[in-house]
Amino acid sequence: MTRSVALLRGINVGPTTRVPMALLRSLFESAGATDVVTVLNSGNVVFSGSVDAAALLARIRAETGVKTHLLVVPGEQLRRIASAFPFAGDESRLVVAFMPSVPSVELPDVAPELISLGEEAVYQSLPDGVSKTKLTPAFWKQFPPETTARNLRTVKKLVALL
């Protein structure tokens, strides 16, 4: 059976976006997923089978009041994205932005940060940390609304659970 990872955008980042992981696991199971595991408290779900993302999002909103985006990444794709990471360094400062498809956009010069458009994701090296990135919100508005990022340490944890 196919293992996949669901990435929910922007949950548990403040008091109005709380989604308990036990509830999230339960909602995935009731949507037909099996072997459901959550990673950290930030909307990472590894599961087997398939789910109807639109129906699942509606259930999450109905149960919690939180409006989020959900991106399901098949296991093989997640492995390819992780193995294609082009930068080295502190894994908490290396970031993968996941999205349904990567548009062709002009990359700004944000040195000493590094950014690369991959075939299936956008990769960043943020030597000063995520909170001090030079990339503006306007830059990210060029990407699909489902775009969500994880540091490389988290991505490797997700790959290990596949």
Side-chain angles (χ1 to χ4, degrees):
M1 187 171 285
T2 302
R3 292 282 284 163
S4 298
V5 174
L7 304 170
L8 287 92
R9 181 175 180 210
I11 68 166
N12 295 337
V13 293
T16 61
T17 61
R18 293 284 173 224
V19 177
M21 293 300 98
L23 174 61
L24 191 58
R25 283 189 300 274
S26 173
L27 291 173
F28 268 79
E29 289 166 352
S30 68
T34 59
D35 303 315
V36 179
V37 179
T38 55
V39 179
L40 303 173
N41 197 34
S42 56
N44 306 299
V45 183
V46 180
F47 65 96
S48 295
S50 62
V51 295
D52 179 339
L56 196 48
L57 283 171
R59 295 267 326 269
I60 291 168
R61 186 166 192 183
E63 295 279 337
T64 67
V66 174
K67 183 177 180 182
T68 184
H69 292 279
L70 171 75
L71 183 63
V72 175
V73 181
E76 284 306 311
Q77 182 180 8
L78 186 75
R79 286 183 184 96
R80 282 193 311 270
I81 289 169
S83 68
F85 201 92
F87 310 121
D90 176 351
E91 291 181 351
S92 69
R93 294 175 182 231
L94 300 175
V95 176
V96 179
F98 295 90
M99 57 199 72
S101 63
V102 179
S104 178
V105 300
E106 189 171 326
L107 298 177
D109 179 5
V110 290
E113 295 178 22
L114 300 171
I115 185 166
S116 174
L117 296 179
E119 290 183 26
E120 299 179 290
V122 175
Y123 302 98
Q124 292 178 271
S125 172
L126 304 166
D128 295 328
V130 173
S131 65
K132 294 183 180 175
T133 182
K134 293 180 181 181
L135 287 174
T136 65
F139 172 79
W140 289 108
K141 289 186 189 244
Q142 302 174 86
F143 296 92
E146 301 88 354
T147 300
T148 187
R150 302 294 186 273
N151 69 38
L152 189 57
R153 183 177 297 147
T154 300
V155 172
K156 287 183 173 183
K157 286 179 185 178
L158 295 170
V159 167
L161 286 170
L162 291 171

